[in-house]
Amino acid sequence: VVPYSLLRVQGFSNRYLLPLLPLAILPDLDRFAWARRSGHSLLVGLALVLAIWLLTRHRPDGRRIAFISGFYFFSHLALDLGGEMAWLWPLDQTYYVVMPYLKLINLWPVFGIEFHTVAAVQQGIGTVLSAAGFGTLALLLTLWAVKHLRKR
């Protein structure tokens, strides 16, 4: 719902948003087969966007379709920050946890990222909400950048 809403507010048409919407949940389909490995991989996302771009590059709206596809897939990863994910699967089987944070130190905001690996993952549902605000912020910044680049 979050990536769809953000793109809709930016003026993207439902003609593109609705048919591509399943890509926003595609990373979670790995729970049924590989226990959170393949779907939550940056490399799988890049391969997916590349494949979509190759299939649509001769269409006048091919770049738009590839962008929306990538935005849906990678927004899912951004919103899952804080959870264990095999970011580099299939090249690396390690589960990584990336936890962004914002602290006030002497009234100055300090942004940081905690990063660690996990040997095994316990499958669960709804365990990734703690860093979702940073994922949403990253999505908003991406849309802002795209909107300003489109004006040029």
Side-chain angles (χ1 to χ4, degrees):
V1 172
V2 172
Y4 168 82
S5 300
L6 292 173
L7 290 171
R8 192 70 182 118
V9 165
Q10 291 295 317
F12 285 87
S13 167
N14 277 337
R15 175 177 178 226
Y16 299 102
L17 296 180
L18 292 178
L20 296 171
L21 192 56
L23 293 174
I25 61 164
L26 183 65
D28 277 339
L29 295 182
D30 64 356
R31 290 179 179 262
F32 300 107
W34 297 290
R36 204 166 178 87
R37 286 183 194 258
S38 61
H40 287 77
S41 169
L42 296 171
L43 301 177
V44 169
L46 290 173
L48 174 75
V49 173
L50 177 64
I52 290 170
W53 178 77
L54 288 173
L55 291 171
T56 61
R57 71 181 185 266
H58 296 298
R59 293 177 50 152
D61 56 356
R63 285 178 36 193
R64 179 175 299 216
I65 291 170
F67 171 77
I68 293 170
S69 301
F71 189 81
Y72 275 160
F73 187 90
F74 290 110
S75 67
H76 184 110
L77 299 185
L79 292 171
D80 275 358
L81 284 175
E84 306 89 0
M85 294 180 268
W87 289 92
L88 301 175
W89 186 89
L91 300 178
D92 181 10
Q93 303 296 321
T94 306
Y95 290 99
Y96 297 94
V97 179
V98 179
M99 293 285 298
Y101 62 86
L102 182 63
K103 295 180 181 179
L104 285 176
I105 299 177
N106 295 328
L107 297 178
W108 285 94
V110 176
F111 175 77
I113 297 174
E114 292 179 17
F115 177 82
H116 62 277
T117 60
V118 178
V121 173
Q122 293 182 354
Q123 278 303 94
I125 297 176
T127 59
V128 296
L129 295 177
S130 62
F134 284 98
T136 304
L137 180 61
L139 298 179
L140 289 170
L141 289 173
T142 301
L143 283 176
W144 177 83
V146 167
K147 183 175 182 177
H148 283 75
L149 289 174
R150 263 202 273 166
K151 290 182 180 179
R152 294 182 184 191

